[in-house]
Amino acid sequence: MSKPTKTLPYVLGQEQEKKDEYKRVLTETIEAITASVTDEGAYQGASVETLQQSLAEFAILPSQGIGWEALLERVKQIILPHFLKTWSPNYMAHLHSPALLESIASELIIATFNQSMDSWDQSPIATEVEVAVVQQLCNLYGYGKESDGVFTSGGSQSNLSAITMARDWYCSSKLNHDVKQEGLPASYHKLRLYTSEVSHFSMEKSAHLLGLGYDAVRKVPVDDLCRMDVQELRGMIESDKQAGLLPFCVVATIGTTDYGSIDGVEAIRTVCDEEGMFLHADAAYGSGLQLSPTYRTRLGDLSLCDSITVDFHKMFLLPISCGAILVKNKEHFSVFTLHADYLNREEDEEEGYTNLVGKSLQTTRRADALKVWMAFQCRGKDGYEKIVDTCIENATFLAKALLAHPSFTLAIEPELSSVVFRHIGTSELNKRIRKELLHHHQVVIGQTVYKHQTYLKFTLLNPTITKEHLSELIALIDTLANELQQ
């Protein structure tokens, strides 16, 4: 006969028994997590088939619940050993950072209280925290009193929000057409957005979702450092105008996903002013650099942009998901405003209650601004400066070491913390190196394509990585390449 399981309370409450059970569940979870951390490996190496088989052993939705104790044992056996350890110095594959300890604590608070950020009466202090954090962010990036912002799930949603605002602003101011009320204008198929050929794929996704289609996205060639070529931009805009098309927006990438390349916002702003276009900065990657007095000049003056995408689950080292869209002119948020009697009543807002749903694509939304508030309070400017500078300097060190090594080729010198390189062997060899590291050495690095060849990538967002460790990884990759070619 199976041992009866203790039934967990449904929720936390004022009763001592519920409080004790809440503590027990969290304490046992923390103990299980820490016990699973036994080495510095980023991934234990299990294959796709192994993971699928381990999950297939149990029904996902059993006819009877197994209770907390049995559940925790299964988590210990089949989940925790195979989770990717983003804090590992051996993890550097993507723009996917480890999480600061205080921000993990903030996640516990967010999940426990489960606020919803659409209306003030669902998130009183959380709303005020977001308003205050947004004001700080606007100040940080040089925006004035007419600016505003809202938290998002990340770069893709921020970019979609910005491009929506750009489209509606252009249609209203240039075509005398209200998209919000009337839908797309008859000439919608002529609208064109310009972004670099190595920009984020959310540009195409946004164009699709906005009814413009992939063809509306004009990919501008880049220079030798993978930055938008502004002269090419000028030529493409002029050519499109001659063809009767309607250029409405340029998206400057402030830290490309692969290379960390930074487009020149000053020169692009000049073009947008001449052509009457909206300028958005996709600074999902590079936005963290603003906290470094040493390196922030690499970003250019982001206050010249009409809107800015900021991501906190990249260089700010906060848990996924956490992003924001900032706008120089808060009136642009009117494109998302719609009042409902059951949610964001105008009478409440007239009395001073802030209902953030009026600025967001989302309705129900987590209190993610608390993560920023707690991390900013805990680390301060000096703490974040050290984090950012360490990551940038690690990338500089690694790039110089690769340039000095006869077995490696560097794509471009890094501006942020991404280093793209390859072993001098074939593309197939470089692909095999990455998989060998993943499945047999507990090291997870990235892979991309540069000039039609496979390249490897280190994305250095972990300030605990040392230069000595980077040197060891270069040596390991070189050793693997020699072994695989034998």
Side-chain angles (χ1 to χ4, degrees), residues 217-230:
V217 180
R218 299 281 275 129
K219 295 309 224 27
V220 183
V222 296
D223 61 18
D224 291 340
L225 294 178
C226 292
R227 301 175 301 194
M228 184 188 293
D229 187 320
V230 179

Side-chain angles (χ1 to χ4, degrees), residues 33-299:
I33 292 170
T34 53
S36 74
V37 183
T38 57
D39 53 48
E40 288 195 336
Y43 179 60
Q44 294 304 309
S47 67
V48 173
E49 293 77 16
T50 298
L51 298 182
Q52 291 174 344
Q53 289 169 7
S54 65
L55 289 172
E57 293 180 19
F58 307 104
I60 299 297
L61 181 62
S63 56
Q64 285 189 309
I66 63 174
W68 166 250
E69 288 75 13
L71 169 62
L72 184 60
E73 286 305 311
R74 287 188 186 175
V75 169
K76 290 178 182 179
Q77 292 170 19
I78 65 177
I79 303 298
L80 294 181
H82 302 299
F83 256 128
L84 192 72
K85 298 177 178 66
T86 55
W87 61 80
S88 166
N90 287 323
Y91 180 70
M92 52 196 76
H94 301 283
L95 289 171
H96 179 188
S97 72
L100 296 171
L101 292 181
E102 68 274 13
S103 68
I104 297 172
S106 72
E107 284 281 9
L108 174 59
I109 297 170
I110 292 167
T112 298
F113 289 90
N114 201 33
Q115 312 292 280
S116 183
M117 299 303 297
D118 36 336
S119 62
W120 195 93
D121 62 0
Q122 296 181 82
S123 53
I125 186 61
T127 295
E128 299 304 331
V129 166
E130 180 164 328
V131 170
V133 170
V134 163
Q135 183 178 20
Q136 174 64 63
L137 293 171
C138 288
N139 293 338
L140 180 65
Y141 292 98
Y143 277 173
K145 293 182 179 179
E146 295 305 310
S147 60
D148 201 356
V150 72
F151 271 67
T152 68
S153 62
S156 292
Q157 187 184 112
S158 293
N159 291 336
L160 174 59
S161 298
I163 296 169
T164 303
M165 289 187 278
R167 181 201 63 185
D168 284 26
W169 163 81
Y170 183 88
C171 289
S172 175
S173 63
K174 308 296 182 181
L175 305 180
N176 194 30
H177 181 89
D178 184 351
V179 175
K180 183 175 178 180
Q181 185 66 40
E182 304 172 43
L184 291 172
S187 56
Y188 76 91
H189 60 285
K190 296 181 179 181
L191 292 170
R192 291 294 181 269
L193 175 148
Y194 302 80
T195 187
S196 91
E197 62 185 359
V198 291
S199 64
H200 195 258
F201 74 156
S202 57
M203 306 311 153
E204 286 92 336
K205 279 193 168 185
S206 296
H208 167 214
L209 292 171
L210 293 173
L212 308 180
Y214 289 179
D215 288 347
V217 180
R218 299 281 275 129
K219 295 309 224 27
V220 183
V222 296
D223 61 18
D224 291 340
L225 294 178
C226 292
R227 301 175 301 194
M228 184 188 293
D229 187 320
V230 179
Q231 286 305 112
E232 290 283 351
L233 171 65
R234 285 182 179 277
M236 291 172 68
I237 291 173
E238 184 58 34
S239 176
D240 286 348
K241 286 166 56 182
Q242 293 295 325
L245 301 176
L246 302 173
F248 76 98
C249 178
V250 179
V251 177
T253 305
I254 311 301
T256 57
T257 303
D258 273 340
Y259 314 107
S261 305
I262 298 171
D263 292 339
V265 294
E266 289 84 357
I268 299 172
R269 177 76 265 173
T270 298
V271 174
C272 288
D273 287 343
E274 292 170 354
E275 302 293 345
M277 298 171 66
F278 192 100
L279 174 56
H280 171 60
D282 176 11
Y285 182 3
S287 50
L289 213 60
Q290 191 73 11
L291 294 171
S292 168
T294 305
Y295 298 108
R296 68 166 65 116
T297 55
R298 294 185 181 185
L299 296 180

